[in-house]
Amino acid sequence: MIDEAIIEARAGNGGKGMATFLREAMRPLGGPAGGSGGNGGSVTLVADPSLNTLLKFRYRRHFIAGNGGNGARNKRHGANGDDVEVTVPVGTEVWELPKRSSGSEVFLGDLVRPGQRIEVARGGRGGLGNAAFVSSVNREPLLAEAGEIGQTVNLRLNLKILADVGLVGMPNAGKSSLLTAISAARPKIADYPFTTLEPVLGIVEHGIDAFAAVDIPGLIEGASEGVGLGHEFLKHMQRTRLLVHVVDGSEGEPGERIRTINQELDAFDARLAKTPQMIAVNKLDIEEVELLQDEIEDQVCEAAGDDTPIYFISAATRRGIDDLVAAICYRLADMRREASDAEAAMLGPEYSNGADPLDDENLPVFRPRMSNTKDVVRSGENEFRILHDRAVRLAAGSNLDNFDALVQYHERLERMNVTEALRRAGAKEGDVILVGDWEFEWQ
Ligand SMILES: Nc1nc2c(ncn2[C@@H]2O[C@H](COP(=O)(O)OP(=O)(O)OP(=O)(O)O)[C@@H](O)[C@H]2O)c(=O)[nH]1
Ligand SMILES: [Mg+2]
């Protein structure tokens, strides 16, 4: 199963605003007529319940949204760039990789509900054309803005299966047999350890109730340190609400085996070890299991604790299976009732209440963080560079060699508080001010 992928999402740049004047034969005065640039397209991840793995990202890793079109004459806006939607399986965690090797990953969000979205890279806004700068004091604006650069992010997608119930236990205990008995899933079953090599999800229906269960490879002592198939599958247990701990009743020392598994869960994640459990002692159809039932129960109870319910089942003959499924449903219903509203929204009761999850207005929608840089830096002894985003874009879209344009630019710097920032940074008359490719003297 492919449950991790690295992708790049690149949003589109905003289009450039235009600085131009209407010069028609019949209208000698004309007027500023440069249109604004269109917005760059964004890249959004969408949770799609029809996907089960991140396999598709093996073949495609780059997702690039369209650039905004440039503004044009006659106040014509540039077209907006095309957005890109990338579908991912429900249960995908999204992490932004650091831009520098020294940085750390940033968690962007968790797509736990069908239809849930995360905008991971926002398109740049289009630059304003000079028509947009007309005001009562400036009827002939010469300025226009360059478009904003779209965000580019590298993401690590980590799929953690979302299931209500996780089946854990030693190899050969009968976890896959149990999943087969209770759902339409058909995992491989065989008489040797490590039959199951990757997680299998099944939907279990019980009357009008239903829940999702996930079967993972068997665990053995040292699994949390990589022994056997290791712990890499345990992450799929982290979001279950209930563990059904399957024990082979026909093997000796059931209590010891339960303790071993619980120690491995704890070594992997202490919270996982606190997930409520039910014990399913399997293979009740074998005669000695039935004969030793009381003894087994005592040992299991001692290892698992008094408040952990114990069920005797036979996945092979289905004996005890209905009782176990009913008990799981009751338990889950109790938990849903107990969970606070906020938690309930995250846990996703959509399997049971038939509500359309897309209708949920409380669905969290994640947005990318906006970078926040300084407005001004000192770049030399008598030299300062303007970093303020709008000021930089305004300079890039304009011709500051034109004296009138430069005067207007200074007025804008004042309004955007960049003048103040320059003063605070220590700029004095005669100092050199750099902005993008432009350079002028501070006055
Ligand atoms: N007699 C009997 N045998 C069973 C029962 N359930 C499972 N088995 C047998 O036990 C063996 C292991 O079953 P699986 O369901 O593959 O066990 P598992 O826990 O998924 O094993 P791994 O995937 O290797 O961890 C198979 O030979 C099954 O036929 C049962 O209720 N009674
Ligand atoms: Mg199995």
Side-chain angles (χ1 to χ4, degrees):
M1 190 170 107
I2 307 294
D3 55 11
E4 196 168 83
I6 305 282
I7 65 168
E8 181 202 51
R10 205 183 303 166
N13 299 329
K16 202 166 151 36
M18 187 178 217
T20 186
F21 288 84
L22 202 63
R23 300 256 184 263
E24 287 175 26
M26 297 283 102
R27 294 179 59 189
L29 288 178
S36 300
N39 297 329
S42 297
V43 182
T44 301
L45 306 188
V46 186
D48 178 348
S50 71
L51 294 173
N52 295 316
T53 77
L54 297 171
L55 179 68
K56 67 183 221 182
F57 298 109
R58 262 218 183 148
Y59 308 106
R60 186 158 174 221
R61 299 204 159 138
H62 303 279
F63 297 88
I64 301 170
N67 292 328
N70 292 337
R73 292 175 183 284
N74 297 324
K75 303 188 184 174
R76 280 215 315 276
H77 273 260
N80 290 337
D82 288 332
D83 292 328
V84 168
E85 285 191 354
V86 182
T87 53
V88 300
V90 176
T92 301
E93 280 182 358
V94 185
W95 295 81
E96 181 179 345
L97 296 179
K99 299 245 192 293
R100 276 170 304 239
S101 56
S102 59
S104 50
E105 287 189 349
V106 176
F107 180 62
L108 294 187
D110 198 1
L111 292 166
V112 294
R113 307 283 302 271
Q116 197 180 350
R117 311 163 70 79
I118 301 183
E119 185 183 284
V120 288
R122 176 168 295 183
R125 277 170 300 184
L128 295 177
N130 69 331
F133 287 101
V134 177
S135 68
S136 55
V137 291
N138 188 357
R139 294 180 187 285
E140 297 234 315
L142 297 163
L143 305 177
E145 279 179 333
E148 239 174 21
I149 305 292
Q151 292 180 313
T152 295
V153 291
N154 286 296
L155 304 172
R156 184 173 64 84
L157 306 180
N158 183 21
L159 174 61
K160 288 186 178 178
I161 287 176
L162 276 172
D164 308 281
V165 174
L167 304 181
V168 293
M170 298 240 160
N172 244 1
K175 302 176 295 297
S176 302
S177 302
L178 175 58
L179 190 68
T180 301
I182 61 180
S183 77
R186 290 293 169 264
K188 189 170 169 193
I189 295 170
D191 187 19
Y192 53 83
F194 306 119
T195 312
T196 302
L197 299 174
E198 52 183 45
V200 181
L201 195 64
I203 303 294
V204 183
E205 292 180 354
H206 178 72
I208 55 160
D209 221 347
F211 61 88
V214 59
D215 170 32
I216 60 163
L219 301 170
I220 56 176
E221 190 167 351
S224 58
E225 285 148 20
V227 183
L229 285 179
H231 62 266
E232 66 176 296
F233 303 101
L234 280 174
K235 72 174 188 180
H236 298 297
M237 296 288 120
Q238 281 175 318
R239 302 212 275 205
T240 60
R241 286 182 283 159
L242 180 65
L243 296 177
V244 172
H245 191 150
V246 184
V247 193
D248 184 342
S250 68
E251 299 247 337
E253 309 278 349
E256 273 317 299
R257 280 177 288 125
I258 287 172
R259 278 193 201 95
T260 301
I261 296 293
N262 285 344
Q263 274 157 18
E264 293 306 323
L265 297 179
D266 188 50
F268 179 75
D269 174 359
R271 274 176 317 172
L272 183 57
K274 295 202 178 75
T275 306
Q277 291 194 6
M278 281 186 185
I279 307 284
V281 180
N282 191 28
K283 310 196 183 180
L284 183 57
D285 55 292
I286 296 176
E287 208 180 320
E288 56 175 299
V289 179
E290 190 157 13
L291 287 174
L292 294 174
Q293 193 166 344
D294 290 344
E295 201 172 305
I296 294 171
E297 185 160 356
D298 287 346
Q299 289 183 34
V300 168
C301 191
E302 204 190 315
D306 286 342
D307 43 1
T308 303
I310 302 167
Y311 290 82
F312 280 79
I313 61 165
S314 165
T317 65
R318 297 194 50 91
R319 191 170 154 199
I321 293 287
D322 289 344
D323 287 346
L324 174 66
V325 170
I328 293 171
C329 285
Y330 276 124
R331 191 71 188 268
L332 290 176
D334 271 352
M335 287 176 166
R336 274 184 204 127
R337 235 170 280 131
E338 282 164 22
S340 70
D341 288 354
E343 273 178 311
M346 292 305 288
L347 292 171
E350 69 268 20
Y351 290 114
S352 62
N353 62 12
D356 179 357
L358 290 173
D359 275 355
D360 192 341
E361 283 182 11
N362 298 323
L363 212 60
V365 174
F366 300 92
R367 300 241 171 259
R369 298 152 305 118
M370 284 295 161
S371 56
N372 179 23
T373 49
K374 286 195 203 164
D375 290 343
V376 166
V377 287
R378 181 188 278 271
S379 51
E381 198 179 341
N382 294 309
E383 193 184 277
F384 296 84
R385 177 168 278 281
I386 296 176
L387 300 177
H388 185 278
D389 178 60
R390 288 212 77 166
V392 171
R393 290 195 290 124
L394 192 57
S398 307
N399 176 11
L400 299 186
D401 278 344
N402 176 319
F403 181 74
D404 292 330
L406 188 60
V407 170
Q408 291 179 9
Y409 185 67
H410 274 80
E411 284 165 15
R412 288 274 155 184
L413 288 183
E414 182 81 46
R415 282 214 230 164
M416 294 185 292
N417 293 325
V418 176
T419 309
E420 177 56 29
L422 278 164
R423 237 179 252 127
R424 256 186 285 121
K428 303 177 304 297
E429 193 138 327
D431 285 349
V432 176
I433 306 296
L434 305 169
V435 52
D437 295 336
W438 300 108
E439 181 178 330
F440 52 86
E441 241 179 52
W442 187 239
Q443 14 223 320

